[in-house]
């Protein structure tokens, strides 16, 4: 059963990060590029975020997005590039 999306955050003027939250499947953060002319969203990347991801937050000055894992009491962070590709960096409990 999916509850997604529970949160979304713009990483730039054209890249959107969105949670994919589930009670029974892998939780993810997905990135999409927005084309205002179509208008459309095209998926760029996806990374696992743990057991139950409900929130995303963008760092105010670095290309980092944080994703919480409410069930695992963990915060994971990912670096992103201009195209919206995600690279897992680390996590903390």
């Amino acid at each position: 059963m999916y509850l997604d999306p529970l949160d979304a955050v713009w990483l730039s003027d054209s890249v959107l990060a969105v949670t994919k939250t589930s009670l029974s499947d892998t939780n993810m953060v997905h990135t999409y590029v927005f084309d205002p002319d179509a208008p459309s969203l095209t998926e760029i990347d996806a990374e696992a975020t743990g057991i139950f991801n409900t929130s995303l937050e963008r760092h105010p000055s670095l290309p980092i997005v944080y994703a919480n894992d409410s069930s695992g009491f963990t915060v994971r962070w990912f670096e992103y590039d201009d195209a919206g590709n995600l690279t897992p960096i680390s996590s903390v409990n």
Side-chain angles (χ1 to χ4, degrees):
M1 178 174 126
Y2 286 103
L3 304 171
D4 66 301
L6 294 182
D7 201 8
V9 63
W10 287 99
L11 303 180
S12 69
D13 289 342
S14 62
V15 177
L16 181 66
V18 180
T19 63
K20 176 182 176 187
T21 305
S22 171
L23 296 174
S24 60
D25 200 4
T26 302
N27 284 232
M28 309 285 286
V29 59
H30 292 259
T31 54
Y32 299 88
V33 66
F34 174 63
D35 178 358
D37 297 326
S40 67
L41 289 170
T42 302
E43 186 173 352
I44 301 301
D45 201 358
E47 293 289 340
T49 58
I51 299 169
F52 195 74
N53 177 220
T54 58
S55 299
L56 297 173
E57 187 65 41
R58 187 186 76 170
H59 190 282
S61 60
L62 299 174
I64 302 289
V65 63
Y66 302 95
N68 79 318
D69 177 351
S70 298
S71 295
F73 306 106
T74 303
V75 174
R76 289 176 173 74
W77 55 96
F78 306 87
E79 186 173 26
Y80 59 88
D81 63 20
D82 291 340
N85 296 298
L86 298 168
T87 302
I89 300 296
S90 192
S91 65
V92 65
N93 295 53

